[in-house]
Amino acid sequence: QVQLVESGGGLVQPGGSLRLSCAASGIIISIDAMAWYRQAPGQERELVAHIISAASTNYTDSVKGRFTVSRDKWNVYLQMNSLKPEDTGVYYCYADVKIPSLTGPRDFKVWGQGTLVTVSS
């Protein structure tokens, strides 16, 4: 069973920083892409940052210049600087992975359970 476990959320004042981490575990052949999504209260879940490699990253406009996504083989990170109250929400890790099956490698999409980020004074 493949799992993603996030950590690093919490309460921070406006202008502060947080670093989120997400660790993948289970029987995984490879991870093709990883991403961070967030869901603010009463809002739909939105993509925050997406990474395939250090040379291939994408960010939603509202976080460009403030957030940085990075990864290694099994983990993804989100460095969040200059946080604003509108960054408040539950942050979810996401991964496109390849897992073994009887018929060969199979694509599998997995979500973490979420970690709460609250930006407030």
Side-chain angles (χ1 to χ4, degrees):
Q1 183 179 359
V2 178
Q3 286 188 319
L4 298 176
V5 178
E6 302 103 332
S7 60
L11 173 64
V12 63
Q13 292 187 341
S17 298
L18 280 177
R19 179 177 169 85
L20 304 183
S21 299
C22 172
S25 63
I27 302 176
I28 303 171
I29 297 172
S30 64
I31 301 179
D32 297 329
M34 303 186 84
W36 288 96
Y37 286 73
R38 69 184 176 193
Q39 188 165 19
Q43 303 293 321
E44 293 187 353
R45 192 174 299 187
E46 65 168 348
L47 176 65
V48 175
H50 178 272
I51 182 167
I52 296 174
S53 67
S56 178
T57 58
N58 287 288
Y59 299 89
T60 192
D61 286 346
S62 63
V63 308
K64 286 180 180 177
R66 301 188 297 121
F67 290 12
T68 302
V69 63
S70 60
R71 66 170 291 189
D72 55 33
K73 190 173 183 180
W74 306 119
N75 305 280
V76 64
Y77 310 95
L78 187 67
Q79 178 66 44
M80 305 185 293
N81 299 327
S82 302
L83 282 160
K84 304 175 181 180
E86 51 263 44
D87 294 319
T88 293
V90 179
Y91 283 68
Y92 297 91
C93 178
Y94 168 86
D96 285 326
V97 305
K98 280 191 169 47
I99 60 174
S101 75
L102 294 178
T103 56
R106 180 168 71 91
D107 293 330
F108 186 74
K109 301 181 188 300
V110 60
W111 290 89
Q113 81 288 351
T115 185
L116 177 63
V117 172
T118 303
V119 184
S120 175
S121 54

